[in-house]
Amino acid sequence: MHNESDQCFHCSLPVPAEVRVTAEVDGDQRHFCCHGCKAVCETIYAAGLEGFYRRTAEGTQLAPPPEPPKDLALYDIDEVQAEFVDSLGEQRDIHLLVEGIHCAACIWLIEHSLYAMPGVVEARANLTARRLHLKWDNSVIKLSAILQRLGEIGYAALPYDPETAEGSLNRSNRQLLYRMAFAGFAMMNLLWISIALYSGADRGEFRTMFHWVGFALATPTLLYSGWPFFKGAWSGLRHFYFGMDLPIAIGASITYLYSLYVTLTGDPAGEVYYDTVVNFLFVILVGRYLEAISKRQAVASTQRLLDLQPRVATVMRNAEEHIVPIRTVKIDDEVLIRPGERIPVDGVVIQGNSSVDEAMLSGESKPLGKRAGDRLSAGTINIQGVLHVRVESLLKDTALGRIIRLVEEAQASKAPIQCIADRIVPWFVAATLGVATATFFLWLQTDFDKALMAATAVLIITCPCAFGLATPMAIAVASGQGARHGILVRNGEVLERFSAIDHIVFDKTGTLTKGTMSVTAIHMLKSEWRTGEEMPEGIKQLLSRVAAVERYSEHPLALAIQKAAASLRLELEQGSFINRPGLGVGGVVSGQQIYAGTETWMMRNGVESAPFLQDIAAQFDRQGASSLRIAVDGREVALIAVEDPLREDAQALITRLKNDGIRVTLLSGDRQKTAEAIAQRLGGGMDVIAEVLPEEKDQVIAQLQSVGELVAMVGDGVNDAPALVRADVGIALGSGTDVSIASADIVLMSNELEKVALASALSRRTLRTIRQNIGISIAYNIIMVPLAVAALVTPLVAAISMPISSLLVIGNAARIRTLFRNY
């Protein structure tokens, strides 16, 4: 494939003589079609991966590499940043994909290096996902300067694009696999040399030959397979920090150099340890590869969400169908969606009828009917008919995009307990070097070889990897699994706070109730009506006038009255309108002054009360129905009962929370007796705070917090937004609206109340898992370090033990998944 002088050596495309690029590769002159192919080829050979060309089928043409940006300043352009940042204001927020992260010390280096730069507001690196959440002041520092700084300390960072992130991570894992395979090949061959030496050849005429053969196998292995450790160690030393690569690099280098000394001098009393160097490099690389695979599987929920987003869409242009990449679709385009296809955009149906599976968003397993005027969400599935949809939102602006971003932010976040662990890691490594040095001098008086092996074992075995993974793995698994089950957690700190919550406040309307109010009874002085009966003409006339006033209100009671009037096909007259949230409405209809609202609203407007309605109101209260007082021309004339049925799972949730020792409070704008009646229907044993205006809800939360309580608030995320923000943990029920995501710490994508208990259990399990993981790391070091100091553990055993501790932490974090089997 690559011997033709008129073909590019890398991609096999024709190479015109006037643009030919020539370079020496592996001792031979090669021709390329462009500098990009030349650079890629040189990189492949420099990494020892020239087998790539032998494995490419004859005649296969590869695409030349894309032209790289001339300068990182490209990412300073607002139009480019708009693809990756939420806002183009002075303070900006972006997720970067960072290649080269592999330990907690890398996290420490990245964060401390960036925080030292003026203008960097926040830098949170994530070990599990290898991403960096960056906030910076664009008026003080440019993004290109930050990317340049990351490059200087040994990390390649680019704005995070989910479509390219997977490829980058796969390449990183593939390089790790190549290094591991090389070390494995050398190890197997060195085993034969070791067998010969241990069988007596170390005293015969072939001793020197076997030593040189071992040197020939160990040297390229150390340089190629061990390169990531040397690179990480050097990068750390240049910036005055101790990373986990440093002990490994020192251990491998000292053991190799001592073996080389024995080989060069022929010292008959010395032993060579080339096999030890190669063996523990191989085992450590195996451990790192298994860690990488395990971490990918443990946090695969984000990728499963990404997979819900179709990559292409069928766009109607000039009455013709065009299949185009989703990134080229524009707002207000018309998209065609056939049966069985995933919906690629958020939009409104403009033509067609179908049913859509929205289980991904709402958790509702039953498909929902859709027709013209109904809204659709990206990632859901069209079941039956063909739909024509007008595009309203794309990619990251869709409900699915917001969910993915929320999950990514949670996985990239840090719980307070992790901040403590991050501060310990550099000191942990420094202590490792001190203990290894002391161990060497301790055994030096007895046996140099024993001192060298014991010190090397200490350097290898005291790895802080498990300690660094303890928290981010648990948070990543918890947030990813939560997202799969409709629980979106804003960050790791929320999980830690929620685990300590001892008081949950529930808003009544739309949270514990279905939020679908309906008129069930109307009482006047001389007539009355209940559901199922024929409505008298006098009550119809009154209902028509009340509905004429209420039609300008968005309150659930107003919507119930409008619905009742519409069901009777009553004609509504035009009238004036005034509204006082939490109290009532008023207006003039057909020359009559109408007031509808609470008893307080009647008193404020000087309405003459009707004593006969007091007993009826008390009766409604006992039934748990809300009562709306009606006044005409200054006299109270009627009482309208409106009921909002409780959710089927409300009582079970309250019972479960009380059994878990959590105090529960019902917060309502209803009369005290009405709210107390509803509390009794929920099983009783809960506090009731009633007659609360919307703007007073956050004050109620503040009062509870003022006495030292940790309070969670559960609401619909719209009317309760201030209270959700005020609470220690705000939980929004609904389908991921902008308001709920902005104001709540936890968003429940469905209206299933049991998810509140599941979120509580998830937070407690996560914190318990973090503590278990830290305990595993500490226990591992308490047991293994003394054994290494006592020279009871060889470097090979140390290399096997080190990744096992990390795998135990990853496996323990993955156990969080089992929680969801019980719900």
Side-chain angles (χ1 to χ4, degrees):
M1 163 182 176
H2 304 291
N3 296 324
E4 301 292 335
S5 60
D6 58 347
Q7 288 184 332
C8 175
F9 179 71
H10 173 70
C11 69
S12 294
L13 292 178
V15 183
E18 62 273 12
V19 297
R20 179 178 297 167
V21 178
T22 304
E24 184 176 316
V25 178
D26 200 25
D28 297 319
Q29 289 293 319
R30 303 295 186 185
H31 303 299
F32 302 94
C33 65
C34 64
H35 289 283
C37 281
K38 168 180 169 289
V40 170
C41 179
E42 289 175 339
T43 302
I44 290 174
Y45 270 84
L49 305 179
E50 59 272 16
F52 162 78
Y53 294 110
R54 293 195 298 271
R55 291 170 173 79
T56 303
E58 184 71 26
T60 301
Q61 291 188 340
L62 307 173
E67 185 70 20
K70 301 296 182 184
D71 198 310
L72 287 174
L74 172 72
Y75 294 105
D76 293 335
I77 300 173
D78 285 349
E79 287 75 11
V80 175
Q81 286 192 17
E83 289 286 324
F84 306 101
V85 303
D86 288 337
S87 169
L88 292 175
E90 286 190 0
Q91 184 167 311
R92 302 185 181 185
D93 184 317
I94 196 170
H95 287 266
L96 300 175
L97 183 67
V98 185
E99 294 190 53
I101 294 180
H102 55 72
C103 73
C106 296
I107 303 297
W108 183 91
L109 173 62
I110 290 171
E111 292 181 351
H112 282 70
S113 296
L114 295 187
Y115 273 123
M117 302 181 72
V120 173
V121 178
E122 182 178 351
R124 292 199 317 244
N126 180 259
L127 174 62
T128 305
R130 297 177 185 175
R131 291 204 294 272
L132 173 67
H133 185 198
L134 177 71
K135 293 181 181 179
W136 80 101
D137 189 332
N138 200 57
S139 64
V140 177
I141 189 171
K142 297 300 182 183
L143 180 59
S144 60
I146 299 174
L147 298 178
Q148 180 68 31
R149 177 58 177 160
L150 287 169
E152 291 172 358
I153 61 175
Y155 301 96
L158 289 174
Y160 173 63
D161 182 345
E163 293 182 7
T164 61
E166 282 300 299
S168 177
L169 291 174
N170 287 334
R171 284 196 302 274
S172 176
N173 287 345
R174 189 162 57 247
Q175 291 176 358
L176 189 60
L177 184 62
Y178 287 157
R179 297 182 192 277
M180 181 184 73
F182 191 93
F185 170 79
M187 182 189 71
M188 288 185 290
N189 285 277
L190 265 171
L191 284 176
W192 295 108
I193 306 299
S194 302
I195 291 172
L197 292 172
Y198 294 146
S199 300
D202 59 333
R203 297 182 183 84
E205 58 183 309
F206 297 107
R207 178 177 187 269
T208 301
M209 182 194 73
F210 280 126
H211 283 182
W212 282 108
V213 172
F215 165 81
L217 288 169
T219 301
T221 304
L222 183 68
L223 295 177
Y224 175 61
S225 298
W227 170 247
F229 306 112
F230 290 109
K231 180 182 177 183
W234 174 243
S235 178
L237 289 174
R238 283 172 52 211
H239 297 90
F240 306 103
Y241 90 103
F242 294 143
M244 64 152 287
D245 286 331
L246 185 58
I248 296 173
I250 292 175
S253 299
I254 292 177
T255 308
Y256 173 82
L257 291 173
Y258 174 70
S259 301
L260 179 60
Y261 167 78
V262 172
T263 302
L264 292 173
T265 62
D267 183 359
E271 298 287 348
V272 295
Y273 296 100
Y274 293 124
D275 56 336
T276 299
V277 175
V278 172
N279 288 352
F280 82 65
L281 280 177
F282 172 71
V283 171
I284 291 173
L285 288 170
V286 169
R288 284 202 173 177
Y289 184 73
L290 291 176
E291 281 181 32
I293 298 301
S294 299
K295 286 189 287 188
R296 288 286 303 284
Q297 292 174 346
V299 299
S301 298
T302 307
Q303 181 56 37
R304 281 191 285 270
L305 286 172
L306 290 172
D307 291 340
L308 295 176
Q309 173 64 62
R311 298 292 185 262
V312 297
T314 303
V315 178
M316 301 298 296
R317 291 172 181 162
N318 300 322
E320 294 183 357
E321 298 179 12
H322 298 270
I323 299 177
V324 299
I326 188 63
R327 288 185 178 277
T328 65
V329 179
K330 295 179 172 46
I331 302 298
D332 290 332
D333 275 356
E334 180 183 336
V335 173
L336 176 70
I337 304 167
R338 295 183 174 85
E341 292 183 346
R342 283 198 180 273
I343 296 167
V345 298
D346 280 8
V348 176
V349 178
I350 56 178
Q351 181 183 336
N353 292 278
S354 183
S355 58
V356 173
D357 181 357
E358 295 188 344
M360 177 276 298
L361 279 180
S362 66
E364 175 60 54
S365 58
K366 184 179 178 181
L368 301 177
K370 298 291 181 180
R371 58 185 180 181
D374 290 339
R375 295 187 178 276
L376 299 178
S377 296
T380 55
I381 302 174
N382 183 24
I383 302 296
Q384 295 176 335
V386 175
L387 294 174
H388 291 255
V389 179
R390 186 180 73 251
V391 179
E392 290 190 333
S393 300
L394 291 161
L395 296 172
K396 65 181 182 181
D397 295 323
T398 63
L400 175 62
R402 293 193 297 270
I403 293 170
I404 292 172
R405 184 169 185 82
L406 200 63
V407 174
E408 288 173 349
E409 288 180 355
Q411 293 184 339
S413 68
K414 292 183 180 181
I417 194 172
Q418 184 182 350
C419 297
I420 299 173
D422 289 347
R423 287 196 295 269
I424 291 174
V425 167
W427 297 101
F428 188 96
V429 176
T432 296
L433 298 176
V435 172
T437 303
T439 301
F440 178 78
F441 286 109
L442 174 67
W443 289 104
L444 183 59
Q445 302 172 3
T446 305
D447 182 353
F448 179 84
D449 286 7
K450 194 171 189 178
L452 179 64
M453 291 296 100
T456 303
V458 170
L459 288 171
I460 297 169
I461 212 165
T462 53
C463 174
C465 283
F467 200 67
L469 286 170
T471 299
M473 276 305 304
I475 290 176
V477 174
S479 56
Q481 288 297 310
R484 286 190 64 194
H485 292 82
I487 301 171
L488 301 182
V489 183
R490 184 165 296 280
N491 54 50
E493 184 180 356
V494 170
L495 287 171
E496 188 168 338
R497 284 204 312 267
F498 198 21
S499 67
I501 291 293
D502 53 13
H503 190 171
I504 298 182
V505 176
F506 286 90
D507 177 59
K508 178 184 76 73
T509 304
T511 303
L512 292 175
T513 63
K514 293 183 178 179
T516 53
M517 291 189 168
S518 59
V519 176
T520 58
I522 301 177
H523 280 261
M524 298 183 69
L525 179 60
K526 296 182 179 180
S527 60
E528 64 180 65
W529 169 86
R530 292 183 181 276
T531 302
E533 299 176 356
E534 181 72 21
M535 185 176 290
E537 285 300 321
I539 294 182
K540 282 185 179 180
Q541 185 179 17
L542 176 70
L543 180 62
S544 172
R545 292 176 179 176
V546 173
V549 176
E550 293 279 14
R551 65 178 167 181
Y552 299 108
S553 173
E554 295 293 331
H555 194 280
L557 291 175
L559 297 178
I561 290 174
Q562 294 170 48
K563 181 180 177 182
S567 68
L568 295 170
R569 299 182 179 179
L570 301 179
E571 292 186 8
L572 306 184
E573 300 179 34
Q574 295 295 325
S576 60
F577 175 74
I578 58 171
N579 178 36
R580 293 295 180 270
L583 293 176
V585 297
V588 177
V589 179
S590 298
Q592 291 184 313
Q593 177 67 57
I594 307 292
Y595 288 112
T598 65
E599 187 175 9
T600 303
W601 181 238
M602 299 294 120
M603 294 172 61
R604 286 193 182 183
N605 289 284
V607 171
E608 181 183 341
S609 64
F612 81 96
L613 294 177
Q614 296 297 336
D615 293 338
I616 298 173
Q619 180 183 341
F620 287 163
D621 289 342
R622 289 191 294 272
Q623 295 171 354
S626 298
S627 54
L628 191 70
R629 294 174 182 267
I630 309 299
V632 177
D633 290 335
R635 295 179 60 250
E636 194 172 8
V637 299
L639 200 66
I640 299 179
V642 180
E643 288 193 53
D644 184 5
L646 291 173
R647 295 184 187 275
E648 291 80 0
D649 52 353
Q651 185 174 351
L653 169 67
I654 300 301
T655 302
R656 172 175 288 178
L657 292 175
K658 289 189 294 186
N659 291 339
D660 289 342
I662 297 176
R663 181 181 166 196
V664 179
T665 292
L666 175 66
L667 187 64
S668 174
D670 291 333
R671 288 158 50 97
Q672 183 70 31
K673 291 183 179 179
T674 303
E676 289 175 352
I678 292 173
Q680 288 301 316
R681 289 167 59 187
L682 289 169
M686 59 193 299
D687 298 332
V688 176
I689 303 176
E691 302 180 32
V692 179
L693 298 178
E695 62 268 21
E696 295 174 346
K697 290 182 180 180
D698 69 318
Q699 298 174 20
V700 171
I701 300 299
Q703 290 171 4
L704 294 172
Q705 291 171 326
S706 67
V707 295
E709 294 188 9
L710 293 174
V711 182
M713 170 73 184
V714 184
D716 61 12
V718 180
N719 297 326
D720 308 312
L724 292 174
V725 173
R726 173 82 66 179
D728 295 291
V729 175
I731 304 173
L733 225 65
S735 57
T737 63
D738 287 335
V739 175
S740 62
I741 287 180
S743 59
D745 299 304
I746 297 175
V747 178
L748 306 182
M749 297 306 296
S750 71
N751 289 321
E752 299 173 35
L753 280 175
E754 66 176 15
K755 295 293 176 65
V756 175
L758 179 56
S760 178
L762 177 63
S763 67
R764 294 194 300 273
R765 171 69 72 86
T766 303
L767 194 65
R768 185 165 71 246
T769 299
I770 290 172
R771 289 168 176 162
Q772 289 171 349
N773 285 348
I774 292 175
I776 289 171
S777 177
I778 293 174
Y780 161 79
N781 284 286
I782 288 175
I783 294 170
M784 299 304 293
V785 172
L787 293 176
V789 172
L792 298 175
V793 174
T794 65
L796 180 58
V797 174
I800 294 173
S801 303
M802 185 188 71
I804 288 177
S805 65
S806 297
L807 292 174
L808 285 174
V809 165
I810 294 170
N812 190 48
R815 287 177 58 245
I816 292 175
R817 298 172 178 174
T818 62
L819 171 70
F820 296 89
R821 297 173 186 169
N822 302 323
Y823 284 83

